[in-house]
Amino acid sequence: MVVSCTLTPDYERPPLDVPEKYTAPAPPAGESIANLDWWELFQDDQLELLIRTALEENKDLAIALSRIEESRLTVTAVRANQFPFLNLGGFFGREKQSRELFQGADADDRFRVTGDLTYQVDLWGQYSRATEAARARLLATESAHRTVTISLVSQVANTYLLLRDLDQRLEVSEDTLKTRLESLRIIQARFDKGTVPELDVYQAQIEVAVAETAIAVFDRQIVQAQNALRILLGRNPGPVTRGDSLASQTFPPSVPTGLPSELLQRRPDVVQAEAELMAATATVGVAEALRYPSISLTGSFGAESTDLSDLNSGDAETWGFGANLFAPIFNSGQLKAQAEAARERAIQATLSYENTLQQSFREVEDALVAVRTYNTENDAQTRRAVAAANAARLSRARYDGGVVDYLEVLDTERTLFDAQLSQSQTLQLYFNAIVRLYAALGGGWSVEE
C-alpha cells in the first residue's frame, strides 16, 4: 500500500477578533431572532405566499441551486483522480509491408483488444488536497445559495412592506383630496356670496393641486413597486394581491440578537468566505506537490491476432506493467512561482474572510440602531399625527366661526397631511429595519424542502 504525505498543514481557522457582545443597545438576551423560520417571522398570509412563490420560481435562486449541483459533480470528478482508471481499447486494421524490405510480404489483418489500468500514486497529497478544495468549494456554493435565499426573502418582504406603505400613503392622499375639494367648493360658494376674499379660493385650489400631485406620485411608485416584486417572484410585471395593511403587520415584540460568535456558523456569506479560504489553503498543497517527483503505475492485458477467431487463443495473450517516474528538475522557477501564487491567493482569502466577518458585525450593529431609533421615531410620528388631526379639526372650526383667517387652516391641514404620510413611511422603515436585522443575523435560509 502506498501512503501519501501532504506538503502543507491541514486547515485551521485563523485567529479572529470577535467581540463578546454588540456595542449597539440590544433587546433583552434570549434565543436569537435568527433562529425563527421566516414563516414564523412574517404573519401576513399573503406575504408568506409571495415568499414561497419567490423561493420556488426566482431565477437567481434557481441559478444558485444549479451551481450547487455543478459543484457536487465537480467533487466527484476531482475525487476520481485518487483511484485507478481502467479503460478498454480495441483495434482493427489491415496493413501491408514493403516487399522491397520483406520478401513475400502480403496484406495482413490485425485484431487487438486490451484493458489498460493506470494509477497515479498520490505521494504528496496532490489529489487528496484537490478533492479537499473541491469539497470546500461545494460548501461555498451551498452557502452562496443560502445567501441568495436570505437576500430574496428580505427583498420580497421589504418590497411588499414598501408597497403597503405606498398603498397607505395613496389612501391618505385620496382622502385629503376629497376633503380639499369639499373645502374648495365651500370657499368658492362663500366667495360668490362675498363673505371670503378671493385669496382663499386660490389657496384652496393650490392645496387641491398638491393632493392631486401626491396621488400621481404614489400611483406611479405603486406600479413600480409591484413590478419589482413580480420580478422577485420570477413573474412578468403586473399587479400583486395584497394582504394585511401596513398598520396590521405583526412582528415579535422583541428581537434578541444572540452572540456575535454565532455569525461564524449562521451567516452564510461568512461560511462561504471561510469555505473559500479552505479551498485556497488546500490548493497550496496541490501547487506544492507539483514541485516533487511523481510516480504512475500502468498495466495492460489483452489479446492480439491476425484473425478475429484467434483472439481467445492463449497464444494471442498480451500483457505488460510498469512504473513511470517523473521529477521536475529545471523549469525556470515556474512551479515555485505557481506555489507562491497559491499562497498569495490563500492570504487574499484570509483577508476576505476577515473582512466579510467585520462587515457582518457592522450590518448587525447598523440594523440594531435602526430598529431602536425607527421605533422611537414611529412613536413620535404617531403622536404627531394625532396632534395634527386635533389641530386641523379645531382650526377648521375656528375658521368656520370667523375667529381666524384661512391661512391658519391651510397651515394645520398641511401639517396633518405631512404627518400622516410620514407616519406611514416611518412605520414601514421600522418594519424594514427588523427584516434587515433578521437577515444580518443570518436568519431566513432554513427553508422547507
Side-chain angles (χ1 to χ4, degrees), residues 117-380:
L117 182 69
T118 60
Y119 175 58
Q120 185 77 29
V121 181
D122 196 12
L123 285 177
W124 315 110
Q126 174 185 357
Y127 299 112
S128 61
R129 286 301 193 202
T131 301
E132 182 182 332
R135 284 175 174 154
R137 293 188 182 99
L138 171 60
L139 175 59
T141 55
E142 290 173 341
S143 298
H145 174 264
R146 293 170 181 169
T147 298
V148 175
T149 302
I150 288 180
S151 176
L152 181 60
V153 170
S154 60
Q155 283 185 71
V156 171
N158 283 335
T159 306
Y160 178 79
L161 292 169
L162 172 62
L163 183 58
R164 300 307 281 133
D165 167 38
L166 293 171
D167 290 338
Q168 176 65 26
R169 285 191 272 173
L170 177 61
E171 183 179 343
V172 168
S173 300
E174 290 173 340
D175 291 342
T176 299
L177 178 60
K178 292 177 183 178
T179 301
R180 290 181 177 180
L181 286 172
E182 179 62 19
S183 296
L184 176 59
R185 186 188 66 79
I186 294 173
I187 292 173
Q188 183 66 53
R190 290 177 179 177
F191 170 72
D192 293 341
K193 294 180 180 180
T195 58
V196 298
E198 188 176 11
L199 179 61
D200 289 2
V201 176
Y202 292 141
Q203 292 287 358
Q205 291 174 344
I206 291 173
E207 297 308 306
V208 167
V210 169
E212 290 173 337
T213 300
I215 290 173
V217 169
F218 295 133
D219 185 51
R220 177 175 65 250
Q221 293 177 349
I222 284 172
V223 173
Q224 292 171 343
Q226 286 185 139
N227 292 341
L229 187 52
R230 293 273 298 184
I231 294 301
L232 292 174
L233 302 181
R235 307 282 181 81
N236 290 328
V240 174
T241 303
R242 315 298 206 268
D244 296 339
S245 66
L246 185 67
S248 300
Q249 299 293 324
T250 56
F251 284 86
S254 63
V255 282
T257 60
L259 300 175
S261 59
E262 294 176 359
L263 296 187
L264 295 176
Q265 286 78 34
R266 173 164 286 280
R267 283 241 337 193
D269 58 338
V270 175
V271 176
Q272 178 184 354
E274 184 173 18
E276 290 170 348
L277 172 57
M278 293 178 186
T281 302
T283 303
V284 173
V286 176
E288 284 288 349
L290 294 175
R291 302 175 62 190
Y292 291 83
S294 62
I295 296 176
S296 60
L297 306 178
T298 61
S300 66
F301 180 84
E304 183 175 3
S305 72
T306 59
D307 195 300
L308 183 62
S309 61
D310 293 336
L311 281 178
N312 59 355
S313 170
D315 293 336
E317 179 181 299
T318 65
W319 58 269
F321 67 88
N324 297 319
L325 173 66
F326 173 80
I329 302 299
F330 178 75
N331 47 60
S332 299
Q334 181 188 57
L335 298 180
K336 180 180 179 181
Q338 290 175 351
E340 291 299 322
R343 293 184 185 277
E344 290 300 323
R345 286 192 291 270
I347 292 174
Q348 296 165 24
T350 301
L351 295 173
S352 178
Y353 175 43
E354 293 172 348
N355 182 64
T356 300
L357 185 59
Q358 290 175 346
Q359 290 292 338
S360 70
F361 293 147
R362 181 190 66 82
E363 290 177 9
V364 173
E365 297 280 4
D366 288 350
L368 276 172
V369 72
V371 169
R372 177 176 59 82
T373 55
Y374 276 127
N375 187 31
T376 301
E377 186 177 339
N378 180 61
D379 290 341

